[in-house]
Amino acid sequence: MPAYDRQLLRAGHRHLCTAFALYETMIIRIFLLLLLAIFSTEPRAKGMYQEPDDFIYEVFAGAPPSPKALWITKPLRDPIEQIMGHPLDSLRVRYWTREGKVAWILEEIGKDLPITTGIVVDRGKLKRVKVLIFRESRGWEVRHDFFTNQFTDATLTDEHRLDRTIDGIAGATLSVRALTKLAQLALFLSEQVTTDVPP
Amino acid sequence: MVLDRLTRLVLTICCLATPTLQAAAPPSAEEMWQIIQEQQKQIEALKEQLEATNEKVKETDEKVDVAGEMIEQAESKVSKAASWAENTQIGGYGELHYNNLDSKEEVDFHRFVLFFNHQFSDKIRFYSELELEHAVSGDDENGEVELEQAYIEFDLSATQHAQAGLFLLPVGILNETHEPTTFYGVERNPVETNIIPTTWWEAGGGFHGELAKGFSYDVYGTSGLDVNQSGGNAYLIRNGRQKVSEAKANDGAVTGRIKWTGMPGVELATSLQWQKDVTQGDRGVGATLFEAHADIQRGPFGLRALYARWDLDKSNVINAADPAAVGRDEQVGWYVEPSMKGRLWRIPGELGVFARYNVWDNNKGSSTTDSQMKQVNVGLNYWPHPDVVFKFDAQQQDNDGAKNDNGFNLGMGYQF
């Protein structure tokens, strides 16, 4: 290799090393700021983003109707198992309904622990999916609006699937799957309850 | 005569019928009042009966509710009694491979992995991953048993966590998430295998958590690499992994990652690792790994792209034992992998197709040797269930200084 090329290579390498040094310095600064942020964070309940009762109050503008219970009778068990991939570990599911709107508080395990989710269905369409309690240290991205907004206006197909694709989050596959199942379950359960739909 | 008789008969019937007709006459107002009174009494009796029935139905509902609650409470008590089991989770994955390549034709249960996790409390938990590679482990056998993860994680707050123990380093796409159902191709891609080097774990501690909406970070201080300094594998990063097995701990390493997942289906991340001496005190060779990647899955379309580069220090005067002497002061690789995934008519499950172009060079620092490796993979994954996958891919190499290894691979994998 000609001496000029070697010089060029060395110069290139020096520039690269300088770039890495700057990158390292930047990363170190960011991490120092992070450490400050970590230890200045106020402790709060583990992953509690909204109390389930507060969610129901909010959905019904501060005056929620009395809760009702949908009994998981034999005809409902098979489709529920098909949606969830396992039987529901409850004999009945509580819900709140008024003027066609049905609100549910449902839980499904993400990786190891249950994700408590508030879901609102209005006339067969998902209107709101909100993570209320997230108990794990990975997969937390699913609680953000940029993820849950994908469910808005989704409906259930005859095969008990959502009528649209929900884009996942790398590294949060199980949390994404849990929320998708809960959305399908809420739509299916809403089909089973009678609502006082206004004309 | 006949007419007379008939007339008499009619008259007789009329005479007999007269009192009956008189009795069927409309009742008087008094009689009507009595009838209404009696009917009212009957209505009231029926009303009382109906109310009693409603009351009974209500009571039955309440009893059913109470019975339901009692059953649920009983179930809850049973699960509390088994709280150890409830707080301990078992998972795993595995993959069987068939390789038909120029270099080999073999079938291998490549990985059988079990996870054991335990929740000590709301804020402290344990994760572990135990792996059996190549089906049989022991003296003179092909396989080995490896502990790839065993660490304790602590919650500092809802979004900030600390961890200590033995864990996978936050570098690349596959190093932390490598269940066979999560990637295309039977074998893991050669860039992450030979450059990063996946699967890579170390012992140490650090922090991870959320910075802002969609942004997260990881920062760890850990044990480091110990590379060979001579022979054909000199300064090959992959061979420097000590796997935390009586590992030399003269010089550790610092690893950091910043990740953005602020849009569904999009992950952008960059990692940096710095180690003061990858020879653990022998030659003082510092090393830096820079890695950046994009992992995108929007609707049916996917794209993965990754770049990784190691820079090892070289002496001012290069001697035979210097990484630069074998061209391994720079080790670089990248790949790009477009894919498409979806349902196929009424066939259950999903089908995905992909193509991947891989380029890597573990002797990039050499100015005299052509050592670049290039490999194209095309293939498909079929998921009959999201946690089960069957794979096929064909590979074609175009290597500068090494023999090409072409052929195809088949595989099946699962996770739970």
Side-chain angles (χ1 to χ4, degrees):
Chain A
M1 181 185 281
Y4 177 71
D5 284 357
R6 278 190 203 146
Q7 277 178 352
L8 268 181
L9 271 174
R10 280 180 194 146
H13 187 254
R14 274 200 303 276
H15 286 309
L16 198 66
C17 289
T18 313
F20 276 133
L22 284 171
Y23 181 86
E24 280 176 41
T25 312
M26 184 187 77
I27 294 286
I28 288 165
R29 281 182 184 168
I30 288 170
F31 287 142
L32 284 173
L33 284 172
L34 276 176
L35 288 177
L36 273 174
I38 288 166
F39 293 110
S40 61
T41 306
E42 283 198 16
R44 54 179 163 149
K46 166 72 178 164
M48 167 78 79
Y49 300 102
Q50 190 174 21
E51 287 278 1
D53 286 350
D54 293 345
F55 175 78
I56 297 298
Y57 266 77
E58 190 182 300
V59 169
F60 294 100
S66 301
K68 294 181 178 176
L70 174 67
W71 285 84
I72 307 304
T73 51
K74 205 173 175 185
L76 300 186
R77 285 180 204 152
D78 279 351
I80 287 175
E81 192 165 345
Q82 187 199 332
I83 289 168
M84 301 301 286
H86 59 80
L88 211 59
D89 58 352
S90 177
L91 296 171
R92 66 239 159 106
V93 186
R94 289 200 186 285
Y95 64 97
W96 293 256
T97 182
R98 182 185 292 148
E99 295 177 353
K101 190 192 281 182
V102 195
W104 304 89
I105 304 289
L106 300 171
E107 283 190 343
E108 172 62 351
I109 288 174
K111 188 173 190 300
D112 294 323
L113 297 170
I115 304 169
T116 306
T117 311
I119 302 178
V120 180
V121 178
D122 197 341
R123 296 165 181 84
K125 284 184 178 178
L126 281 169
K127 286 297 164 193
R128 197 163 169 208
V129 173
K130 181 169 184 182
V131 173
L132 305 177
I133 309 172
F134 191 85
R135 299 169 175 85
E136 294 184 281
S137 57
R138 311 265 178 188
W140 44 264
E141 292 93 336
V142 295
R143 79 167 201 273
H144 286 304
D145 294 346
F146 66 73
F147 176 74
T148 53
N149 284 346
Q150 292 183 94
F151 292 101
T152 307
D153 287 337
T155 59
L156 204 61
T157 66
D158 294 341
E159 296 169 310
H160 300 137
R161 291 168 175 272
L162 296 182
D163 65 343
R164 63 195 62 191
T165 304
I166 300 298
D167 290 325
I169 291 169
T173 312
L174 296 176
S175 300
V176 169
R177 208 184 285 174
L179 253 67
T180 307
K181 282 188 209 171
L182 290 181
Q184 290 167 243
L185 179 66
L187 284 168
F188 174 75
L189 295 179
S190 299
E191 286 176 357
Q192 314 308 317
V193 302
T194 48
T195 58
D196 45 347
V197 183
Chain B
M1 278 294 286
V2 175
L3 190 64
D4 269 359
R5 280 184 186 171
L6 194 63
T7 310
R8 276 180 209 156
L9 182 65
V10 170
L11 284 170
T12 310
I13 290 168
C14 286
C15 286
L16 287 170
T18 306
T20 315
L21 288 173
Q22 281 173 347
S28 64
E30 201 171 319
E31 285 168 337
M32 277 298 289
W33 178 244
Q34 277 179 353
I35 290 167
I36 289 168
Q37 289 284 326
E38 276 169 20
Q39 283 178 346
Q40 186 61 33
K41 277 180 193 167
Q42 283 175 356
I43 287 168
E44 275 170 14
L46 285 171
K47 221 169 147 185
E48 276 173 21
Q49 273 181 14
L50 188 64
E51 276 170 11
T53 309
N54 282 343
E55 195 62 33
K56 276 183 186 169
V57 168
K58 202 178 160 190
E59 274 175 25
T60 310
D61 270 353
E62 282 169 4
K63 282 175 187 170
V64 170
D65 265 346
V66 170
E69 268 168 28
M70 284 177 74
I71 292 167
E72 283 171 356
Q73 279 171 8
E75 281 175 353
S76 168
K77 277 178 189 165
V78 169
S79 64
K80 272 178 191 160
S83 63
W84 179 87
E86 198 177 56
N87 291 329
T88 304
Q89 295 85 32
I90 298 173
Y93 71 87
E95 48 191 333
L96 173 67
H97 296 169
Y98 167 72
N99 309 107
N100 189 322
L101 302 171
D102 294 340
S103 63
K104 62 182 176 184
E105 184 176 352
E106 67 177 29
V107 63
D108 180 29
F109 204 104
H110 199 144
R111 295 181 181 91
F112 177 83
V113 177
L114 288 173
F115 302 120
F116 295 96
N117 305 331
H118 183 75
Q119 190 89 15
F120 294 107
S121 71
D122 278 354
K123 295 188 173 181
I124 304 175
R125 61 196 72 87
F126 167 75
Y127 292 101
S128 73
E129 180 179 348
L130 191 66
E131 177 166 324
L132 169 62
E133 280 200 348
H134 309 301
V136 183
S137 164
D139 291 342
D140 301 325
E141 300 290 353
N142 296 318
E144 51 191 345
V145 176
E146 292 175 334
L147 183 65
E148 291 196 355
Q149 295 189 75
Y151 67 92
I152 308 281
E153 185 181 66
F154 308 84
D155 294 341
L156 303 174
S157 73
T159 56
Q160 306 299 328
H161 316 276
Q163 68 183 49
L166 182 159
F167 49 84
L168 300 167
L169 293 182
V171 184
I173 297 174
L174 296 187
N175 201 52
E176 288 182 300
T177 307
H178 43 242
E179 288 82 352
T181 52
T182 63
F183 65 91
Y184 284 102
V186 174
E187 302 291 347
R188 295 174 185 175
N189 71 72
V191 175
E192 294 195 65
T193 302
N194 292 301
I195 302 295
I196 280 182
T198 293
T199 311
W200 183 16
W201 61 92
E202 298 288 357
F207 304 93
H208 67 93
E210 191 177 351
L211 279 173
K213 203 169 187 175
F215 280 98
S216 61
Y217 75 94
D218 298 76
V219 57
Y220 304 111
T222 65
S223 53
L225 299 163
D226 181 23
V227 297
N228 296 326
Q229 295 158 55
S230 59
N233 293 332
Y235 293 103
L236 272 183
I237 294 295
R238 185 168 184 80
N239 294 71
R241 296 175 305 164
Q242 302 192 78
K243 302 189 174 182
V244 197
S245 173
E246 297 184 347
K248 289 182 186 171
N250 301 57
D251 289 289
V254 177
T255 309
R257 173 177 67 185
I258 289 180
K259 185 165 76 169
W260 183 75
T261 47
M263 182 188 288
V266 179
E267 173 183 304
L268 304 174
T270 179
S271 300
L272 189 72
Q273 205 221 37
W274 175 78
Q275 188 171 336
K276 189 181 169 191
D277 184 2
V278 289
T279 64
Q280 294 296 330
D282 280 353
R283 301 199 61 81
V285 179
T288 307
L289 165 68
F290 167 76
E291 182 273 337
H293 69 256
D295 182 4
I296 299 165
Q297 181 73 47
R298 299 280 291 174
F301 302 105
L303 178 71
R304 282 183 166 184
L306 178 143
Y307 173 84
R309 175 191 179 95
W310 276 98
D311 279 274
L312 278 66
D313 289 350
K314 49 189 168 188
S315 316
N316 289 331
V317 181
I318 295 171
N319 59 44
D322 195 277
V326 283
R328 291 195 173 135
D329 51 325
E330 290 174 34
Q331 301 182 43
V332 181
W334 59 272
Y335 71 83
V336 59
E337 180 194 279
S339 61
M340 198 163 82
K341 180 181 179 181
R343 299 188 73 201
L344 208 59
W345 297 292
R346 291 193 168 272
I347 297 172
E350 286 191 299
L351 184 74
V353 292
F354 81 103
R356 191 194 314 119
Y357 185 61
N358 313 267
V359 179
W360 74 103
D361 190 347
N362 288 98
N363 296 72
K364 179 75 174 170
S366 171
S367 55
T368 55
T369 312
D370 288 330
S371 49
Q372 193 176 65
M373 313 278 275
K374 294 187 279 281
Q375 179 175 309
V376 175
N377 291 77
V378 291
L380 56 89
N381 281 15
Y382 169 60
W383 293 268
H385 180 277
D387 292 329
V388 178
V389 68
F390 292 91
K391 300 182 177 185
F392 164 79
D393 72 272
Q395 71 177 52
Q396 182 82 30
Q397 291 191 341
D398 178 19
N399 299 328
D400 284 343
K403 202 177 167 189
N404 292 333
D405 192 15
N406 302 328
F408 69 91
N409 307 291
L410 291 167
M412 62 78 80
Y414 62 87
Q415 68 165 346
F416 59 92

